[in-house]
Amino acid sequence: MRPLRLDLAGFTVFRDETTIDFTDADFFALVGPTGSGKSTVLDAICFALYGQVPRWGGSRGIGNALAPSATEARVRLVFESAGARYVATRVVRRDSRGNVKTGNAGLQLMPAGFDVTKLDTGMSPDDLGEVLAGTPGEMEPAVLEAVGLPYDQFTSCVLLPQGQFADFLHAKPATRQQILVNLLGLGVYEEIQKLATTRATQADAQLAAVDQVLAGLTGADDDAVAEATEAVAARRTLAEAVAGHVPDLESARSAVSAAEAELVTLDADLAELGRVRAPADVGELARTVADARDRAAAATAAVTRAEEREEKLRGELAGAGDESALRLLLRAHEDRAKLAADLDAAGEVVAAARAAHASATTDLAAAKTTADQAAAELEAAFRAHDEAKAADQAAALRAQLSRGAPCPVCEQPVTTVPPVPAESAVAVAKAAGQRARAATQAAQRVLEQRDAEARRTEQTLTRGQARQDQLRTRLAELDGQLSGAADPATLRRDLDTLAELRRDLEAAGGAVRRAREEARRVRAEVDDAEERVRAAWRRFDEVRDGLARFAPPAADRDDLGAAWTGLCDWAGTAAQRRRAARTAAAESVKSAHRAVAAARDRIDTLFVEAGLAAGDDPLRSAAVAVERAEADLRRVTERRDQARELADQRQEHERSGRVARSLAGHLRANNFERWLLTEALDLLVDGASEILRDLSGGQYDLVHDKGEFFVVDQHDAGLRRGVRTLSGGETFQASLALALALSEQLAGLSTTSASLESIVLDEGFGTLDAASLDTVAATLENLAARGDRMVGLVTHVPALAERVPVRYEVRKDARTARVERVG
């Protein structure tokens, strides 16, 4: 498997859409700071193929695929395997309840020579090639078929997860053995052992079933087949003899059938001729039709007379005048009388309103005079109050005056001091002002009431005068309309005359309807009578047509009774001739039955001699006897053949049971699996040793002893050292050699067919010293130079990254991670 292109969106730290093109990257490195998302690129490759990632802890960690707060993650991987190009796609979604599931998953085989750059044009998924898997459940077998490696082997041979690179080298023997069992799929042999045990049990059960069936097949041998063959020959001889006598029997039966058919025909003719009877009411039909036609003529005349009277009355009514116009004139007379009365009443209302308005006007004038007087008195009270205030102020000063002293107001000497009044002039003036104010308010209220009454009476007078004008105008219009018209009494007499004519016309219309209904009823009676006559003729024609094969005589179409009489006489004569012929036909039937009985006796004798019953159909009975004998022969033959086949099956079940028990016994012990593991480990170490020699420049070989790994240092006289004593660079070389050997040998040792075209190491290399780091770099360069696979690594060590020709720098900001190709 060789990756060509990886597209990410919403996948862990890659929130935004990101594309990584591996098309010509034979030796590359994913570089960048710790935590930038380098290993996530390898996670995406693994997830696109298998739906899980090693560091997620299995498929249940699928929630790790979504970027924080994202609801969807999409991964698409384009890769090559064994010369074919594929595209794997997975989409993960989070629903409204927070559950994360794989929404879509698919694997497609791309057309030969497909240019992956076309994916940037927004191609439809249908254009990417043949669909190999369309659901998550279909992905696992499809990817295994395309890549050739299950998930565990892929993460051990192609994509080596971070921190697990040297696990296989340093593992304990038991752990390493279990890893090989899982990688090589040796657990299948335990399944084979269980299947072999099951098959041995099944073979025993099948053997018992065969023995039970064989016990029920007694007498199924060659002698039984010979006896059944002789019985078939005897039954066939009987059938041939019966076939020789059957023609005589059939001939006799044909004669019986012919004679009986002739007798039946004669009986049918006699029955048909005997049913010829004239209807009982043939004579009454003609009289019924004539009476109905007479009543119809009388009804038609009555209709004519009633229609003539109705038309006469309709003309008189048309000449008597227009009823609507007469009623309109009468209504106008009534309206004028009412208007005259309304006008007189309106005059009385106007006179009363005019008097009331004159009285209200007089009262209003008096109220205005009273209000003016009260206002003048209030004004005089205001003046008196002002004068009282001045007097009180002067009186207050008198208490301060002294005779001969200067006046505080005029500064003149006071000659005489006036006496101080006993009562305040302001109090007296204020009381007089309050009385004047109350009188003014009372006069104003009366004035407002008189003014409102005057306006009300004026409005009443105006409305009454408007009503008088309307009534006079309408009365003038009615006088113009009634000019030259008849008086009301004359109009009522004319209307009474019209009503009487209308009643007469309605009565005449009823008479016309009744006459017409009677005419229709009588016409229906005529039609019914005539239909009865036609039905009688149809019945006659049906009877005569039914006798057409007897050639009845022609009928008189003008007289139904005579026609029926002639037909009945002819039918009686024809029946008499057929009664004579029937006597001879009955004797022929008896003779034919005697011939049938003789032929049947000869055939019954043959069946009695064969020990069988002839039945109603001798030929069929003989054929059934032959078929039963042949069926017995087939059954006996089949039972004999079945017994032979079951005997062969019994031998096969015995052999299968022995083989299955033997295989289960061999696999029940662990020797076979142990031998396979030893052979696999030998091949693995031999291959790794050869690779290690190339990587170390011929310095180191790799060997194993009792499950432990050792290196042989050829530069130190073949010194054997434990792998835990190796330096960082040496450990990397040994681990890489094992990984390469494991990936190369796995395809031949396991049950799957893998295409190993790449290896990617997710190892930081930060713990290596400068010398070890140089060894690692040189080892990877040598590995890439071999050109048989893509080599990739993940590192944050600049010294190592600079020696890789193609680098993908991974950077992450607050939102998303990004990948940029350099070098």
Side-chain angles (χ1 to χ4, degrees):
M1 194 286 296
R2 182 187 180 100
L4 299 178
R5 175 184 171 124
L6 180 64
D7 295 295
L8 308 171
F11 186 76
T12 66
V13 296
F14 290 94
R15 183 187 300 273
D16 294 342
E17 292 187 5
T18 303
T19 297
I20 307 172
D21 188 355
F22 296 105
T23 304
D24 57 352
D26 295 328
F27 183 24
F28 69 90
L30 290 166
V31 299
T34 300
S36 61
K38 301 184 297 299
S39 298
T40 302
V41 175
L42 305 187
D43 293 345
I45 294 175
C46 192
F47 181 73
L49 293 172
Y50 299 99
Q52 54 183 313
V53 173
R55 57 178 179 162
W56 290 356
S59 59
R60 293 186 178 179
I62 192 173
N64 295 315
L66 285 169
S69 74
T71 59
E72 180 180 275
R74 289 180 284 109
V75 180
R76 180 173 63 188
L77 174 66
V78 180
F79 64 93
E80 282 186 352
S81 181
R85 254 179 209 189
Y86 302 86
V87 56
T89 306
R90 286 187 190 266
V91 179
V92 176
R93 295 188 179 94
R94 179 184 286 112
D95 60 21
S96 58
R97 293 178 294 182
N99 299 321
V100 179
K101 296 181 181 179
T102 299
N104 295 314
L107 180 68
Q108 293 171 263
L109 175 62
M110 306 179 77
F114 183 87
D115 185 2
V116 295
T117 60
K118 292 182 178 179
L119 295 174
D120 297 325
T121 62
M123 296 180 62
S124 168
D126 297 336
D127 299 329
L128 296 181
E130 176 187 356
V131 177
L132 304 179
T135 64
E138 296 174 352
M139 282 292 285
E140 182 176 353
V143 170
L144 181 60
E145 178 71 20
V147 178
L149 293 173
Y151 170 73
D152 292 336
Q153 295 181 11
F154 181 81
T155 55
S156 298
C157 302
V158 177
L159 192 153
L160 304 182
Q162 186 174 10
Q164 301 179 20
F165 184 58
D167 286 356
F168 191 76
L169 179 67
H170 294 152
K172 295 180 179 180
T175 303
R176 189 182 298 116
Q177 177 176 315
Q178 187 58 45
I179 292 174
L180 283 175
V181 168
N182 293 337
L183 291 177
L184 299 177
L186 298 184
V188 70
Y189 295 107
E190 182 179 355
E191 297 299 324
I192 293 175
Q193 185 269 330
K194 294 179 181 178
L195 181 60
T197 301
T198 301
R199 289 193 177 180
T201 303
Q202 292 174 347
D204 292 341
Q206 291 170 342
L207 187 62
V210 169
D211 288 341
Q212 184 177 359
V213 175
L214 282 173
L217 294 177
T218 57
D221 52 16
D222 293 339
D223 293 340
V225 172
E227 183 179 350
T229 303
E230 292 177 359
V232 169
R235 295 296 182 263
R236 288 175 179 170
T237 301
L238 171 64
E240 292 174 357
V242 170
H245 288 286
V246 164
D248 295 339
L249 177 61
E250 294 299 328
S251 178
R253 285 177 174 172
S254 297
V256 168
S257 298
E260 289 179 344
E262 183 181 0
L263 186 61
V264 169
T265 300
L266 289 172
D267 288 340
D269 291 348
L270 287 171
E272 190 169 357
L273 290 170
R275 286 193 294 271
V276 178
R277 296 285 188 277
D281 60 347
V282 170
E284 293 294 329
L285 285 177
R287 290 190 297 273
T288 300
V289 171
D291 292 345
R293 287 173 178 169
D294 291 342
R295 289 196 301 276
T300 300
V303 169
T304 300
R305 290 192 298 273
E307 288 175 345
E308 290 175 351
R309 172 160 176 73
E310 181 187 29
E311 188 63 27
K312 178 183 177 183
L313 289 173
R314 197 180 301 278
E316 292 177 357
L317 182 61
D322 186 355
E323 181 181 3
S324 298
L326 293 175
R327 290 190 180 280
L328 287 175
L329 290 174
L330 183 60
R331 174 65 61 84
H333 279 293
E334 294 172 352
D335 291 345
R336 188 188 184 290
K338 184 175 182 304
L339 283 173
D342 291 343
L343 182 59
D344 293 340
E348 295 175 358
V349 169
V350 168
R354 186 176 287 112
H357 181 60
S359 176
T361 302
T362 301
D363 293 343
L364 177 62
K368 283 183 179 181
T369 301
T370 302
D372 291 343
Q373 292 175 354
E377 292 176 357
L378 180 61
E379 182 64 27
F382 283 152
R383 289 194 301 271
H385 182 267
D386 292 339
E387 293 173 355
K389 286 173 63 177
D392 281 354
Q393 290 174 353
L397 290 174
R398 290 176 185 176
Q400 301 174 5
L401 296 178
S402 297
R403 186 174 181 179
C407 178
V409 177
C410 64
E411 297 181 352
Q412 297 296 322
V414 177
T415 59
T416 301
V417 177
V420 178
E423 184 179 3
S424 173
V426 172
V428 175
K430 187 175 181 180
Q434 289 176 345
R435 289 191 297 273
R437 185 184 298 277
T440 301
Q441 292 175 347
Q444 186 63 34
R445 285 195 295 272
V446 172
L447 177 62
E448 291 174 354
Q449 293 173 356
R450 296 293 182 267
D451 183 62
E453 180 65 19
R455 286 197 299 270
R456 184 184 65 77
T457 55
E458 182 180 9
Q459 291 174 352
T460 302
L461 178 61
T462 301
R463 286 195 297 270
Q465 291 173 343
R467 173 66 175 162
Q468 276 185 318
D469 293 340
Q470 291 176 353
L471 292 174
R472 290 191 184 101
T473 300
R474 178 59 182 155
L475 191 61
E477 292 175 353
L478 287 177
D479 289 338
Q481 182 180 349
L482 293 174
S483 177
D487 59 85
T490 303
L491 291 174
R492 289 189 182 92
R493 286 194 298 273
D494 292 343
L495 286 172
D496 292 341
T497 302
L498 284 173
E500 185 177 359
L501 287 173
R502 183 170 287 104
R503 288 192 294 272
D504 292 343
L505 180 60
E506 290 176 358
V512 169
R513 288 191 294 274
R514 289 191 296 275
R516 289 174 178 171
E517 182 63 28
E518 178 64 16
R520 283 193 294 272
R521 187 185 65 77
V522 174
R523 181 69 254 177
E525 291 179 358
V526 172
D527 293 341
D528 180 65
E530 291 177 346
E531 177 57 30
R532 288 171 60 193
V533 172
R534 288 191 293 273
W537 274 111
R538 286 194 297 273
R539 172 59 183 160
F540 174 82
D541 291 338
E542 289 173 0
V543 173
R544 187 180 182 283
D545 292 343
L547 302 172
R549 59 192 180 90
F550 302 123
D556 183 3
R557 303 302 296 184
D558 295 330
D559 190 344
L560 180 60
W564 271 110
T565 300
L567 185 62
C568 291
D569 293 344
W570 169 85
T573 302
Q576 185 61 36
R577 291 196 301 268
R578 281 164 176 73
R579 290 191 190 95
R582 187 185 186 287
T583 302
E587 183 59 33
S588 297
V589 170
K590 293 178 181 178
S591 177
H593 275 297
R594 288 192 292 271
V596 169
R600 183 58 193 260
D601 288 342
R602 291 192 293 272
I603 293 175
D604 289 344
T605 299
L606 293 174
F607 277 95
V608 171
E609 292 174 351
L612 298 173
D616 295 334
D617 187 350
L619 279 177
R620 183 178 181 282
S621 298
V624 169
V626 173
E627 290 176 358
R628 288 176 179 173
E630 291 175 344
D632 290 341
L633 176 59
R634 286 193 299 272
R635 184 170 58 257
V636 172
T637 303
E638 289 173 357
R639 286 167 60 84
R640 181 195 63 184
D641 295 342
Q642 184 182 7
R644 291 175 178 175
E645 182 179 354
L646 288 173
D648 295 339
Q649 291 180 6
R650 191 180 190 284
Q651 293 178 359
E652 178 62 24
H653 292 325
E654 286 181 338
R655 185 194 65 79
S656 298
R658 287 194 301 272
V659 172
R661 279 189 293 272
S662 177
L663 178 59
H666 288 304
L667 294 180
R668 189 173 293 111
N670 294 328
N671 294 335
F672 183 70
E673 181 180 300
R674 190 177 302 111
W675 174 79
L676 285 176
L677 287 172
T678 301
E679 289 295 316
L681 191 58
D682 288 342
L683 291 174
L684 177 62
V685 171
D686 289 344
S689 182
E690 183 177 352
I691 296 171
L692 182 58
R693 279 196 300 274
D694 292 339
L695 296 176
S696 63
Q699 180 177 359
Y700 295 115
D701 285 331
L702 185 66
V703 297
H704 75 97
D705 185 11
K706 296 180 182 180
E708 293 288 350
F709 285 155
F710 300 90
V711 294
V712 178
D713 190 348
Q714 301 298 341
H715 292 181
D716 193 8
L719 177 64
R720 191 168 78 166
R721 297 161 51 195
V723 294
R724 295 186 180 277
T725 65
L726 298 176
S727 66
E730 292 168 341
T731 298
F732 178 80
Q733 287 182 330
S735 299
L736 179 60
L738 271 175
L740 294 175
L742 186 63
S743 64
E744 290 177 350
Q745 299 294 335
L746 191 62
L749 293 175
S750 68
T751 57
T752 62
S753 177
S755 175
L756 305 174
E757 303 172 50
S758 60
I759 183 169
V760 182
L761 310 177
D762 188 0
E763 190 71 26
F765 307 106
T767 60
L768 301 179
D769 55 25
S772 299
L773 194 62
D774 184 68
T775 301
V776 169
T779 300
L780 293 175
E781 289 169 349
N782 293 336
L783 178 62
R786 295 169 57 179
D788 58 351
R789 71 187 67 198
M790 170 191 283
V791 178
L793 66 148
V794 176
T795 183
H796 56 272
V797 179
L800 179 59
E802 290 173 357
R803 298 180 62 169
V804 180
V806 178
R807 296 185 299 280
Y808 296 93
E809 291 188 355
V810 184
R811 294 286 184 272
K812 186 176 73 169
D813 55 24
R815 172 174 174 77
T816 184
R818 293 178 174 82
V819 179
E820 180 181 2
R821 176 170 172 167
V822 297

